[in-house]
Protein backbone atom coordinates (compact mmCIF):
# COMPACT_ATOMS: atom_id res chain seq x y z
CA UNK A 1 0.00 0.00 0.00
CA UNK A 2 1.42 3.39 -1.00
CA UNK A 3 1.17 6.21 1.52
CA UNK A 4 -0.02 9.54 0.22
CA UNK A 5 2.30 12.48 0.88
CA UNK A 6 0.75 15.11 3.06
CA UNK A 7 0.97 18.58 1.59
CA UNK A 8 2.58 21.30 3.70
CA UNK A 9 0.23 24.06 4.73
CA UNK A 10 1.69 27.36 5.88
CA UNK A 11 -0.32 28.23 8.97
CA UNK A 12 2.01 31.02 10.15
CA UNK A 13 1.48 33.40 7.27
CA UNK A 14 5.14 33.98 6.37
CA UNK A 15 5.80 34.15 2.70
CA UNK A 16 8.84 32.53 1.22
CA UNK A 17 11.34 34.34 -0.92
CA UNK A 18 12.51 37.14 1.35
CA UNK A 19 15.58 37.47 -0.84
CA UNK A 20 18.96 38.33 0.59
CA UNK A 21 17.61 40.40 3.49
CA UNK A 22 18.06 37.67 6.14
CA UNK A 23 21.54 36.95 4.80
CA UNK A 24 22.47 40.60 5.26
CA UNK A 25 20.58 41.18 8.50
CA UNK A 26 22.17 38.37 10.50
CA UNK A 27 25.81 39.44 9.94
CA UNK A 28 24.83 43.09 10.47
CA UNK A 29 23.34 42.28 13.87
CA UNK A 30 26.42 40.22 14.80
CA UNK A 31 28.80 43.01 13.74
CA UNK A 32 26.71 45.55 15.64
CA UNK A 33 26.80 43.38 18.76
CA UNK A 34 30.58 43.08 18.47
CA UNK A 35 30.87 46.85 17.95
CA UNK A 36 28.79 47.77 21.01
CA UNK A 37 30.40 45.08 23.17
CA UNK A 38 33.90 46.21 22.25
CA UNK A 39 32.93 49.84 22.87
CA UNK A 40 31.73 48.85 26.34
CA UNK A 41 34.99 46.96 26.94
CA UNK A 42 37.13 49.92 25.84
CA UNK A 43 35.11 52.29 28.03
CA UNK A 44 35.45 50.01 31.06
CA UNK A 45 39.20 49.66 30.51
CA UNK A 46 39.61 53.40 30.17
CA UNK A 47 37.55 54.32 33.23
CA UNK A 48 39.17 51.58 35.30
CA UNK A 49 42.37 53.60 34.94
CA UNK A 50 40.74 57.04 35.16
CA UNK A 51 38.93 56.26 38.40
CA UNK A 52 42.16 55.24 40.10
CA UNK A 53 41.91 51.47 40.17
CA UNK A 54 45.21 51.14 38.29
CA UNK A 55 48.63 52.48 39.15
CA UNK A 56 50.07 52.50 35.63
CA UNK A 57 48.87 54.59 32.73
CA UNK A 58 50.55 52.60 29.98
CA UNK A 59 48.46 49.42 29.96
CA UNK A 60 45.02 51.06 29.57
CA UNK A 61 46.28 53.22 26.71
CA UNK A 62 47.68 50.19 24.92
CA UNK A 63 44.60 48.07 25.69
CA UNK A 64 42.13 50.71 24.48
CA UNK A 65 44.24 51.23 21.37
CA UNK A 66 44.16 47.50 20.57
CA UNK A 67 40.40 47.27 21.16
CA UNK A 68 39.73 50.23 18.87
CA UNK A 69 42.08 49.19 16.08
CA UNK A 70 41.38 45.48 16.25
CA UNK A 71 37.69 45.26 17.02
CA UNK A 72 35.71 48.52 17.10
CA UNK A 73 36.79 50.01 13.78
CA UNK A 74 36.49 46.77 11.73
CA UNK A 75 33.10 45.93 13.25
CA UNK A 76 31.86 49.48 12.66
CA UNK A 77 32.92 49.34 9.01
CA UNK A 78 31.25 45.94 8.55
CA UNK A 79 28.07 47.16 10.27
CA UNK A 80 27.91 50.23 8.03
CA UNK A 81 28.55 48.11 4.93
CA UNK A 82 25.77 45.64 5.76
CA UNK A 83 23.46 48.53 6.69
CA UNK A 84 24.06 50.22 3.35
CA UNK A 85 23.42 46.94 1.52
CA UNK A 86 20.14 46.57 3.41
CA UNK A 87 19.22 50.16 2.61
CA UNK A 88 19.97 49.57 -1.08
CA UNK A 89 17.16 47.00 -1.28
CA UNK A 90 14.36 49.55 -0.78
CA UNK A 91 15.95 53.01 -0.60
CA UNK A 92 12.84 55.04 -1.46
CA UNK A 93 10.80 53.39 1.28
CA UNK A 94 13.42 53.57 4.01
CA UNK A 95 14.79 57.06 3.36
CA UNK A 96 11.35 58.58 4.07
CA UNK A 97 11.25 57.03 7.55
CA UNK A 98 12.20 59.37 10.37
CA UNK A 99 13.82 56.61 12.43
CA UNK A 100 16.28 56.00 9.58
CA UNK A 101 16.93 59.71 9.15
CA UNK A 102 17.66 59.93 12.88
CA UNK A 103 19.96 56.89 12.64
CA UNK A 104 21.90 58.48 9.79
CA UNK A 105 22.35 61.74 11.71
CA UNK A 106 23.49 59.84 14.81
CA UNK A 107 25.86 57.70 12.72
CA UNK A 108 27.46 60.82 11.25
CA UNK A 109 27.76 62.29 14.76
CA UNK A 110 29.30 59.03 15.97
CA UNK A 111 31.89 59.12 13.21
CA UNK A 112 32.61 62.78 14.03
CA UNK A 113 33.00 61.93 17.71
CA UNK A 114 35.36 59.13 16.77
CA UNK A 115 37.45 61.52 14.68
CA UNK A 116 37.80 63.91 17.63
CA UNK A 117 38.52 61.02 20.00
CA UNK A 118 41.15 59.63 17.63
CA UNK A 119 43.11 62.89 17.55
CA UNK A 120 42.85 63.26 21.30
CA UNK A 121 43.90 59.67 21.92
CA UNK A 122 46.89 59.99 19.58
CA UNK A 123 48.21 62.90 21.64
CA UNK A 124 47.62 60.98 24.89
CA UNK A 125 49.33 57.91 23.47
CA UNK A 126 52.34 59.91 22.25
CA UNK A 127 52.92 61.38 25.71
CA UNK A 128 52.09 58.34 27.86
CA UNK A 129 54.11 55.85 25.82
CA UNK A 130 57.15 58.17 25.77
CA UNK A 131 59.93 56.79 27.95
CA UNK A 132 60.63 60.16 29.55
CA UNK A 133 57.06 60.62 30.84
CA UNK A 134 56.98 60.82 34.64
CA UNK A 135 53.30 61.25 35.43
CA UNK A 136 50.20 63.31 34.89
CA UNK A 137 50.24 66.91 33.80
CA UNK A 138 47.40 69.37 33.45
CA UNK A 139 47.55 69.10 29.64
CA UNK A 140 47.34 65.29 29.65
CA UNK A 141 44.57 65.35 32.24
CA UNK A 142 42.56 67.68 30.00
CA UNK A 143 43.15 65.39 27.00
CA UNK A 144 42.11 62.36 29.08
CA UNK A 145 38.94 64.15 30.18
CA UNK A 146 38.13 65.02 26.56
CA UNK A 147 38.70 61.40 25.52
CA UNK A 148 36.47 60.24 28.38
CA UNK A 149 33.65 62.48 27.16
CA UNK A 150 34.13 61.17 23.61
CA UNK A 151 33.91 57.58 24.88
CA UNK A 152 30.68 58.29 26.75
CA UNK A 153 29.15 60.10 23.76
CA UNK A 154 30.24 57.35 21.39
CA UNK A 155 28.85 54.57 23.55
CA UNK A 156 25.59 56.47 24.10
CA UNK A 157 25.27 57.02 20.35
CA UNK A 158 25.90 53.34 19.64
CA UNK A 159 23.25 52.25 22.13
CA UNK A 160 20.80 54.80 20.71
CA UNK A 161 21.45 53.44 17.21
CA UNK A 162 20.63 49.94 18.44
CA UNK A 163 17.34 51.11 19.96
CA UNK A 164 16.33 53.09 16.87
CA UNK A 165 17.16 50.19 14.59
CA UNK A 166 15.29 47.68 16.70
CA UNK A 167 12.20 49.65 17.74
CA UNK A 168 11.85 51.81 14.59
CA UNK A 169 9.75 54.48 16.32
CA UNK A 170 7.65 56.76 14.13
CA UNK A 171 9.05 59.90 15.78
CA UNK A 172 5.84 61.80 15.09
CA UNK A 173 5.47 60.54 11.53
CA UNK A 174 1.97 59.43 10.62
CA UNK A 175 1.63 56.12 8.81
CA UNK A 176 0.79 56.43 5.16
CA UNK A 177 -2.81 55.51 4.38
CA UNK A 178 -3.45 52.35 2.46
CA UNK A 179 -4.50 52.86 -1.15
CA UNK A 180 -8.26 52.88 -1.67
CA UNK A 181 -9.61 49.95 -3.60
CA UNK A 182 -13.03 49.55 -5.07
CA UNK A 183 -14.85 46.32 -4.52
CA UNK A 184 -17.67 45.09 -6.63
CA UNK A 185 -20.29 42.77 -5.32
CA UNK A 186 -20.93 39.84 -7.53
CA UNK A 187 -24.11 38.78 -5.77
Amino acid sequence: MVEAKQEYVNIHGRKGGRGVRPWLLIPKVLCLAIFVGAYVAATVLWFYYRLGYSDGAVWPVRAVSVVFRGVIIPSLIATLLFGLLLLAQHPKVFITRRWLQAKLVIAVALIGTHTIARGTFKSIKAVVLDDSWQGGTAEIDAECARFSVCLILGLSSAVLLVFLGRLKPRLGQQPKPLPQTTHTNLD
Side-chain angles (χ1 to χ4, degrees):
M1 187 158 154
V2 178
E3 292 182 26
K5 289 186 177 181
Q6 190 174 20
E7 186 176 324
Y8 174 75
V9 177
N10 183 355
I11 60 170
H12 302 293
R14 292 195 94 175
K15 295 180 181 178
R18 292 184 57 193
V20 297
R21 184 168 174 77
W23 298 104
L24 294 173
L25 197 57
I26 291 170
K28 179 188 178 238
V29 169
L30 289 174
C31 290
L32 184 64
I34 292 168
F35 170 71
V36 173
Y39 222 114
V40 168
T43 305
V44 167
L45 285 170
W46 180 255
F47 281 103
Y48 184 79
Y49 161 70
R50 290 290 294 156
L51 296 176
Y53 295 111
S54 171
D55 295 333
V58 174
W59 77 266
V61 169
R62 286 189 175 145
V64 169
S65 179
V66 167
V67 170
F68 265 91
R69 282 185 292 126
V71 184
I72 292 176
I73 300 303
S75 62
L76 176 62
I77 291 170
T79 302
L80 290 173
L81 176 69
F82 285 120
L84 289 174
L85 289 173
L86 284 164
L87 176 63
Q89 289 182 338
H90 305 288
K92 289 181 182 177
V93 174
F94 284 123
I95 207 69
T96 61
R97 304 291 188 240
R98 287 187 186 162
W99 62 265
L100 179 67
Q101 295 167 0
K103 273 182 74 169
L104 293 174
V105 169
I106 293 168
V108 168
L110 178 64
I111 292 170
T113 301
H114 173 74
T115 304
I116 294 168
R118 184 174 188 263
T120 304
F121 191 72
K122 282 177 105 173
S123 63
I124 294 169
K125 194 173 168 182
V127 172
V128 170
L129 298 181
D130 186 16
D131 292 332
S132 63
W133 186 62
Q134 296 297 318
T137 62
E139 182 180 316
I140 280 299
D141 286 343
E143 293 290 319
C144 288
R146 184 179 312 146
F147 184 70
S148 298
V149 169
C150 287
L151 273 177
I152 291 171
L153 288 174
L155 183 58
S156 302
S157 299
V159 170
L160 187 58
L161 285 174
V162 170
F163 279 114
L164 283 174
R166 177 63 188 115
L167 299 177
K168 296 173 182 51
R170 291 193 180 144
L171 301 175
Q173 187 176 29
Q174 296 299 320
K176 293 186 178 183
L178 295 173
Q180 298 294 326
T181 58
T182 56
H183 296 284
T184 58
N185 289 335
L186 301 174
D187 291 340

